[in-house]
């Protein structure tokens, strides 16, 4: 009996050992599988993040060794007119473009959510313009919105007898024009709205119909609350991407007229790669991070009260 | 006695249908117009480009604009550069992200969740923060003016795509793994035999997303490349008008068409994988 017990414990400990070695094997495999990310993170993300933090407290022109200057870069930034200008340009763009994009893409998603013939074709056609972006599309809009001979102003004068605005060439219209330019590229948020609309439960709508609610009431009382978390998602993505605008400004306006489209990242790019003031540019990059982080947190905080989650324990 | 009850919120009466069709067609004119205008302008003579009233349809049709842009600028060179660059990075990101996603989704290890949070948090840091030290690092390596700074980091995967693929990989049944284990297969067999074949649609989606991003990326090439013969299309196109006294809009539009055509074609052929997953199968009717 004694020997039987000891045999059993022996077997059990052997089993444990086997299980342990299996766990160790799985753990080794895990590290092996994620090693591309680990290496990439250390070399190209984590290391540079720390380096960037150090650089933001230094003067560095790439040729000479960096010199530590403490908080001077940040103090200089707070006295830098162009810093405020580029930040306010970027804020202005975000304030216009985020709500504009959300409203337009939601309306489009609502239209495309209807059961009609050719639904799939319509969805594809509306999504298509957002595939193309970058330099080619910037040139296209530069041409469409050319104040003297662009097609939009020509149509305005031919059909309505209106003299069109200067679009990208006038200080007060350049940012609204950039927002307008994004209009046909809203396929991304549109698809996300569409997916969420399709997951809505139809029983709520049935109940509302029985109560005699009309379409508008149903939209504001049922649809909007149910997709509010998706609205938030699109808003956050929109804020982040509008703070990183670069290509349009670089190609179309080079920051003009009179710095009115001098987007933050364009300023950062010029500081770093035209003037080679790497320390100052690093400080700019960290301010950008703080701004994006704060705005994201703010959006999350504000929306906490407004958003309805279906599976909320606190309810 | 009772009016027929409309069940789903998606159902429309005849009037509603007409309104929806009208709005969709009107909107489509707006959405299709920019591309239409790009095409017609690219086929006009320079003299017709600014003509008032506007010419909607080009006559004569100047197909030669397309041959001319290839003569005026090394467009063919740019295309070759871009194709190689996007193909390599697309492959690198898809492969490495898939390996990493498999690790995070299917293998247990201490510290796994903390590490995954780290992966997610890297998405919050704007790329501009790491841009400068990366430039300095590649400058030290003597990699400036080559594609290495743009390509090598791709082999580390992309946090966004790792996240995307992990979500897919979590969905596959655990029993499939056990079957491989019983047959004596290791974790690599599991990945190659089970996960990889099942995840072709999600990998294709990831690859296409990466393709679109790389094809249009301007700031990366702008930072690292200065030799014109190494330019990708984005950078080459942005310098296209430098050689002319006044902007030749017809040629510029022709060159732009050349630049947007590959992503458009890819989208049309890969649609099945790309938006169908979200848009078309999502609608049950």
């Amino acid at each position: 009996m004694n020997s039987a017990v000891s045999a059993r414990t022996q077997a059990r400990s052997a089993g444990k050992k086997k299980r342990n070695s299996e766990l160790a094997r799985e753990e080794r495999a895990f590290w092996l599988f994620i090693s591309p990310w680990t290496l990439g993170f250390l070399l190209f993300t984590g290391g540079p993040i720390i380096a960037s933090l150090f650089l933001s407290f230094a003067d560095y022109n790439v040729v000479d060794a960096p010199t530590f200057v403490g908080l001077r870069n940040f103090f200089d930034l707070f006295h830098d007119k162009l810093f405020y200008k580029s930040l306010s340009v970027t804020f202005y763009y975000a304030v216009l473009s985020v709500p504009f994009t959300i409203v337009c893409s939601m309306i489009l998603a609502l239209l495309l959510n209807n059961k009609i013939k050719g639904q799939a074709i319509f969805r594809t056609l509306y999504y298509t313009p957002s595939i193309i972006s970058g330099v080619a599309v910037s040139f296209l809009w530069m041409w469409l919105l050319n104040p003297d001979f662009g097609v939009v102003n020509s149509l305005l004068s031919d059909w309505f007898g209106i003299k069109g605005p200067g679009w990208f060439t006038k200080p007060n219209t350049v940012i609204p024009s950039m927002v307008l330019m994004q209009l046909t590229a809203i396929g991304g948020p549109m698809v996300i709205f569409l997916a969420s609309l399709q997951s809505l439960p139809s029983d709520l709508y049935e109940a509302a119909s029985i109560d005699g609610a009309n379409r508008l009431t149903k939209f504001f009382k049922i649809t909007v609350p149910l997709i509010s978390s998706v609205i938030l998602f699109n808003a956050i993505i929109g804020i982040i991407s509008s703070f990183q605008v670069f290509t349009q400004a670089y190609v179309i306006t080079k920051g003009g007229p009179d710095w009115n489209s001098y987007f933050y990242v364009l300023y950062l790019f010029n500081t770093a790669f035209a003037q080679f003031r790497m320390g100052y540019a690093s400080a700019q990059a960290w301010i950008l991070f703080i701004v994006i982080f704060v705005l994201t947190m703010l959006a999350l905080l504000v929306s906490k009260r407004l958003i309805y989650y279906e599976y909320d324990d606190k309810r | 006695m009772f009016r027929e009850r409309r069940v789903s919120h998606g159902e429309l009466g005849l009037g509603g249908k007409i309104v929806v069709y009208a709005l969709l067609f009107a909107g489509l004119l707006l959405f299709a117009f920019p591309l239409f205008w790009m095409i017609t302008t690219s086929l006009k003579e320079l003299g017709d480009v600014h003509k008032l009233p506007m010419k909607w349809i080009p006559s004569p049709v100047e197909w030669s604009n397309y041959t001319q842009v290839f003569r005026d600028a090394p467009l063919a060179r740019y295309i070759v550069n871009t194709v190689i660059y996007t193909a390599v990075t697309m492959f690198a990101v898809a492969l490495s992200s898939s390996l990493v996603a498999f690790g995070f989704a299917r293998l247990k290890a201490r510290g796994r969740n903390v590490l995954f949070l780290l992966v997610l948090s890297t998405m919050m840091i704007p790329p501009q923060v790491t841009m400068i030290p990366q430039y300095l690092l590649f400058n030290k390596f003597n990699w400036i003016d080559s594609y290495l700074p743009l390509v090598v980091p791709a082999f580390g995967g992309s946090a966004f795509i790792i996240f995307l693929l992990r979500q897919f990989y979590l969905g596959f049944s655990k029993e499939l793994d056990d079957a491989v284990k019983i047959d004596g297969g290791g974790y690599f067999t599991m990945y190659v035999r089970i996960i990889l074949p099942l995840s072709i649609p999600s990998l294709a989606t990831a690859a296409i997303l990466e393709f679109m991003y790389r094809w249009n990326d301007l700031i990366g090439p702008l930072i690292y490349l200065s030799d014109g013969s190494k330019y990708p299309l984005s950078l080459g196109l942005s310098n296209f008008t430098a050689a002319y006294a006044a902007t030749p809009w017809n040629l510029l539009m022709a060159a732009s068409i050349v630049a947007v055509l590959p992503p458009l074609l890819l989208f049309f052929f890969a649609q099945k994988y790309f938006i169908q997953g979200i848009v078309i199968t999502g609608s049950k009717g």
Side-chain angles (χ1 to χ4, degrees):
Chain A
M1 194 180 143
N2 240 351
S3 67
V5 168
S6 82
R8 214 180 306 152
T9 46
Q10 229 165 21
R12 203 181 293 151
S13 83
K16 217 182 224 169
K17 229 179 245 159
K18 201 177 162 209
R19 241 194 345 269
N20 276 342
S21 79
E22 219 164 82
L23 279 178
R25 207 165 70 96
E26 186 167 348
E27 204 153 280
R28 264 204 311 280
F30 169 78
W31 288 103
L32 211 60
F33 271 100
I34 71 156
S35 62
W37 176 80
T38 319
L39 285 174
F41 175 76
L42 292 177
L43 270 169
F44 306 122
T45 315
I49 287 171
I50 296 165
S52 162
L53 204 55
F54 278 115
L55 276 178
S56 68
F57 298 109
D59 265 349
Y60 187 41
N61 62 6
V62 186
V63 183
D64 306 309
T67 48
F68 182 76
V69 295
L71 286 168
R72 213 194 62 210
N73 286 330
F74 291 94
F75 284 129
D76 286 353
L77 267 178
F78 292 131
H79 292 100
D80 180 346
K81 282 209 180 73
L82 272 183
F83 167 74
Y84 289 110
K85 184 72 195 174
S86 63
L87 204 56
S88 73
V89 162
T90 312
F91 259 104
Y92 180 36
Y93 176 82
V95 165
L96 283 188
S97 90
V98 174
F100 178 79
T101 306
I102 286 181
V103 170
C104 290
S105 57
M106 189 146 80
I107 291 173
L108 207 53
L110 285 167
L111 283 173
L112 290 170
N113 194 38
N114 286 303
K115 275 188 216 163
I116 48 164
K117 277 216 176 66
Q119 189 195 47
I121 297 167
F122 273 119
R123 286 175 181 180
T124 309
L125 288 174
Y126 273 103
Y127 188 79
T128 307
S130 57
I131 309 291
I132 52 175
S133 63
V135 179
V137 169
S138 297
F139 277 130
L140 169 68
W141 283 91
M142 227 169 131
W143 170 222
L144 288 173
L145 296 181
N146 185 297
D148 301 320
F149 36 71
V151 59
V152 175
N153 278 8
S154 301
L155 286 181
L156 282 176
S157 77
D158 283 4
W159 292 357
F160 307 104
I162 302 170
K163 195 188 173 311
W167 302 111
F168 295 126
T169 61
K170 290 285 183 294
N172 53 341
T173 51
V174 61
I175 294 297
S177 304
M178 294 249 172
V179 173
L180 193 69
M181 179 186 149
Q182 290 305 110
L183 175 66
T184 58
I186 56 176
M190 176 197 89
V191 164
I192 294 169
F193 274 128
L194 207 46
S196 77
L197 285 175
Q198 281 161 10
S199 64
L200 298 183
S202 62
D203 49 345
L204 281 175
Y205 291 89
E206 285 170 38
S209 295
I210 293 166
D211 290 348
N214 63 22
R215 254 169 206 288
L216 219 59
T217 319
K218 278 193 259 182
F219 173 71
F220 283 108
K221 294 276 153 100
I222 305 174
T223 310
V224 172
L226 282 178
I227 65 170
S228 53
S229 63
V230 179
I231 297 175
L232 174 71
F233 175 82
N234 278 332
I236 289 175
I237 300 285
I239 292 169
I240 293 174
S241 62
S242 54
F243 269 84
Q244 308 206 353
V245 166
F246 175 78
T247 304
Q248 299 96 300
Y250 179 84
V251 173
I252 300 177
T253 59
K254 302 272 176 199
D258 198 20
W259 310 106
N260 279 292
S261 64
Y262 203 49
F263 280 89
Y264 194 84
V265 174
L266 185 58
Y267 185 28
L268 200 163
F269 173 83
N270 284 337
T271 311
F273 302 102
Q275 307 171 354
F276 288 98
R277 295 165 68 195
M278 295 296 179
Y280 199 56
S282 298
Q284 284 177 319
W286 279 100
I287 299 279
L288 177 64
F289 169 66
I290 292 166
V291 169
I292 292 177
F293 184 79
V294 168
L295 285 177
T296 309
M297 288 300 135
L298 224 60
L300 286 172
L301 219 74
V302 168
S303 59
K304 214 168 188 178
R305 299 164 162 272
L306 303 174
I307 289 197
Y308 169 85
Y309 287 106
E310 202 155 351
Y311 303 103
D312 194 342
D313 325 329
K314 277 169 254 149
R315 230 158 255 276
Chain B
M1 193 176 147
F2 287 103
R3 229 157 48 111
E4 200 188 335
R5 196 161 53 88
R6 300 239 162 79
V7 242
S8 149
H9 52 285
E11 233 154 276
L12 287 170
L14 185 65
K17 255 186 187 146
I18 291 169
V19 171
V20 167
Y21 272 122
L23 286 173
L24 280 177
F25 273 112
L28 206 55
L29 286 181
L30 188 74
F31 268 62
F33 182 77
L35 200 61
F36 164 79
W37 197 248
M38 206 175 188
I39 295 166
T40 55
T41 307
S42 76
L43 294 171
K44 284 178 185 170
E45 290 182 309
L46 188 56
D48 283 352
V49 165
H50 299 319
K51 194 166 266 176
L52 291 172
M54 295 177 328
K55 271 189 157 178
W56 289 94
I57 305 296
S59 70
V61 179
E62 285 292 341
W63 292 107
S64 64
N65 286 344
Y66 283 86
T67 48
Q68 197 182 338
V69 291
F70 278 88
R71 266 200 316 264
D72 285 7
L75 219 52
R77 178 82 255 171
Y78 299 156
I79 293 173
V80 171
N81 291 343
T82 314
V83 166
I84 295 172
Y85 165 55
T86 44
V88 173
T89 48
M90 190 172 95
F91 174 78
V93 166
L95 177 74
S96 51
S97 303
S98 152
L99 285 167
V100 176
F102 172 77
F104 279 119
R106 314 288 291 194
L107 300 175
K108 278 199 214 77
R110 271 162 300 173
R112 181 182 72 169
N113 295 338
V114 177
L115 267 174
F116 191 67
L117 271 179
L118 196 60
V119 175
L120 291 184
S121 64
T122 59
M123 289 199 287
M124 284 205 63
I125 306 240
Q128 286 80 16
V129 169
T130 51
M131 196 166 83
I132 292 163
Q134 276 187 21
Y135 172 83
L136 298 171
L137 181 76
F138 295 131
N139 196 25
K140 280 243 157 61
F141 290 175
N142 270 325
W143 282 6
I144 303 297
D145 210 16
S146 81
Y147 272 93
L148 291 170
L150 298 166
V151 170
V152 174
F155 284 90
S158 129
F160 172 71
I161 288 173
I162 291 171
F163 180 44
L164 183 82
L165 292 177
R166 173 184 171 266
Q167 297 309 104
F168 279 110
Y169 294 175
L170 283 173
F172 301 142
S173 159
K174 186 87 192 155
E175 284 158 27
L176 293 168
D177 293 4
D178 294 336
V180 173
K181 251 188 213 166
I182 288 162
D183 288 349
Y187 294 104
F188 190 71
T189 318
M190 226 180 254
Y191 170 73
V192 174
R193 287 284 166 83
I194 306 288
I195 300 294
L196 222 43
L198 281 173
S199 66
I200 286 175
S202 54
L203 269 177
T205 306
I208 294 165
L209 286 174
E210 192 64 21
F211 176 94
M212 303 286 180
Y213 164 68
R214 298 283 176 173
W215 190 273
N216 289 311
D217 183 29
L218 174 69
I219 197 165
L222 194 58
I223 289 170
Y224 291 113
L225 302 173
S226 54
D227 174 0
S229 72
K230 291 179 184 137
Y231 281 3
L233 260 172
S234 59
L235 193 48
L237 198 59
S238 80
N239 292 342
F240 182 76
T241 49
Y244 304 95
T247 312
W249 285 104
N250 55 341
L251 298 184
L252 190 56
M253 289 299 114
S256 300
I257 293 275
V258 171
V260 299
L261 212 54
L264 275 181
L265 287 177
L266 181 75
F267 170 72
F268 276 110
F269 288 113
Q271 261 193 72
K272 198 175 131 211
Y273 293 124
F274 194 38
I275 50 169
Q276 203 180 42
I278 325 169
V279 176
I280 294 162
T281 45
S283 77
K284 291 172 210 114

